[in-house]
């Protein structure tokens, strides 16, 4: 059955819509809803049966655990134990917000949510629709990003309807999400704290709240022998359905239209200005928040082009830029710095 699609204002959600979605959650169904990061595919986090539907709708491997979304500290205490006071103080300052914390789980949390791990990933989203939905449902909501596994995250409800319209029960149609990139995941069960996934806020941004955060970006794509810290890291992620090439040389990037007309360039407005071709703009390169919010949309736009592949360039890794570069690195099928290598790779496609 096709999903029920209900329009909702992200800043002022209609209680009638929220109630309808909450009924789906309490009835054990799945709802796609906006957060301030990307769209989430949610179900009752305390029901193993409901959470199983998330895994099957997304075709997500069972060993990749889910983030639980909460709307209150009492919900936090229902699913986590031994939360240190220092972490609680930090939560009061960073939540609601795009930071996911790894904590010790309580037994109440179904194994399927944590993939059997002793920890659970939790956050309080800063989005009025998400908060109202959790509150009205009266239960924490488990919600990974609302895309089919391996695909780019969804930042626009029209993409959610296209991709998930036949595999979930309800979609809350709220247009574009605010940040357009996922939360930062920090493991606070260990000292020093460890960042498992860069996100909206960099370790430097979070330092005033959480102190020094070590960053361990072990990634099996580059380093097959190591155990990935966040289980999700070992899988292909964020990838459009055609090759995406990261061009590390700025001059080469700007020269591409004279080499081939078979690729789409994805770049900041400064980088693609004046270049021939049906290219995709990431917006103002001076504003990394703008670039971040356009990234996944650009990956999906690339799929609609007739080109053979996409070429993208690096951006500044400051602040949210660190997460942008992490997503580009994982989505890219190749990193290329010379014209010869580019020609060779294009010929092989
Ligand atoms: P997403 O599915 O895009 O929302 O991403 C959720 C991320 O959180 C994945 O990378 C998961 O591997 C990670 N995650 C969730 N729970 C845990 C956990 N208990 N330990 C480590 N990583 C987790
Ligand atoms: Mg995801």
């Amino acid at each position: 059955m096709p999903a029920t699609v209900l329009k909702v204002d992200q800043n002022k959600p209609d209680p009638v819509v929220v109630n309808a979605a909450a009924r789906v959650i309490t009835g054990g169904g799945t709802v796609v809803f906006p957060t301030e990061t990307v769209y989430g595919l949610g179900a009752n986090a305390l029901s193993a049966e409901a959470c199983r539907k998330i895994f099957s709708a997304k075709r997500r491997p069972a060993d990749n655990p889910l983030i639980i979304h909460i709307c209150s500290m009492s919900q936090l205490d229902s699913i986590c134990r031994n939360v240190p006071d220092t972490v609680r103080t930090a939560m009061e300052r960073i939540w609601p917000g795009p930071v996911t914390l790894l904590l010790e789980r309580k037994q109440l949390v179904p194994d399927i949510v944590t993939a059997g791990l002793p920890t659970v990933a939790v956050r309080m989203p800063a989005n009025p629709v998400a908060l109202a939905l959790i509150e009205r449902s009266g239960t924490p909501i488990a919600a990974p990003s609302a895309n089919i596994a391996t695909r780019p995250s969804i930042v626009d409800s029209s993409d959610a309807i296209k991709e998930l319209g036949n595999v979930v029960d309800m979609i809350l149609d709220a247009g574009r999400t605010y940040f357009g990139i996922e939360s930062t995941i920090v493991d606070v069960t260990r000292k020093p704290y460890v960042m498992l996934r860069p996100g909206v806020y960099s370790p430097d941004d979070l330092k005033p709240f959480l102190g020094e955060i070590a960053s361990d970006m072990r990634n099996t794509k580059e380093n097959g022998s190591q155990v990935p810290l966040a289980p999700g890291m070992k899988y292909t992620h964020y990838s459009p359905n055609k090759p995406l090439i990261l061009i590390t040389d700025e001059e080469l990037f700007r020269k591409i239209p004279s080499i081939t007309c078979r690729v789409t360039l994805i770049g900041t407005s400064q980088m693609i200005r004046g270049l021939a071709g049906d290219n995709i703009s990431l917006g103002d390169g001076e504003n990394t928040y703008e670039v971040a919010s356009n990234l996944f949309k650009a990956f999906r736009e690339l799929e609609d082009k007739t080109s053979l592949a996409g070429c993208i360039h690096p951006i500044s890794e400051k602040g949210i830029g660190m997460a942008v570069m992490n997503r580009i690195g994982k989505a890219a099928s190749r990193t290329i710095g010379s014209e010869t290598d580019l020609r060779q790779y294009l010929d092989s496609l």
Side-chain angles (χ1 to χ4, degrees), residues 58 145 147 153 237:
K58 267 188 71 100
S145 54
N147 51 277
S153 300
H237 253 311

Side-chain angles (χ1 to χ4, degrees), residues 267-312:
T268 60
S269 51
Q270 289 89 343
M271 280 293 281
I272 61 170
R273 185 169 298 139
L275 299 184
D278 186 13
N279 300 322
I280 301 171
S281 175
L282 292 170
D284 179 4
E286 298 286 307
N287 181 350
T288 34
Y289 284 94
E290 185 176 324
V291 172
S293 76
N294 287 324
L295 184 75
F296 287 128
K297 193 69 193 162
F299 287 1
R300 284 175 180 271
E301 269 175 50
L302 171 65
E303 299 184 336
D304 298 332
K305 305 277 186 197
T306 51
S307 54
L308 196 63
C311 285
I312 193 164

Side-chain angles (χ1 to χ4, degrees), residues 141-160:
I141 294 181
S145 54
N147 51 277
I148 299 294
T150 80
R151 305 238 328 110
S153 300
I154 288 178
V155 300
D156 190 334
S157 42
S158 61
D159 293 320

Side-chain angles (χ1 to χ4, degrees), residues 60 64-67 102 117 119-121 144-145 185 196-197 230-232:
R60 183 179 179 97
N64 192 2
L66 309 178
I67 294 174
L102 218 67
L117 294 169
T119 50
V120 61
S145 54
I185 305 181
L196 303 184
R197 174 179 77 184

Side-chain angles (χ1 to χ4, degrees), residues 186-227:
V186 183
D187 181 352
V188 292
T189 66
R190 295 181 294 160
K191 280 276 183 150
Y193 301 153
V194 181
M195 180 174 72
L196 303 184
R197 174 179 77 184
V200 170
Y201 296 132
S202 70
D204 274 352
D205 295 330
L206 291 173
K207 199 170 169 185
F209 312 104
L210 290 170
E212 213 56 65
I213 301 170
S215 116
D216 193 334
M217 299 311 304
R218 285 183 285 185
N219 174 358
T220 47
K221 204 164 163 184
E222 287 97 43
N223 188 347
S225 62
Q226 288 185 316
V227 176

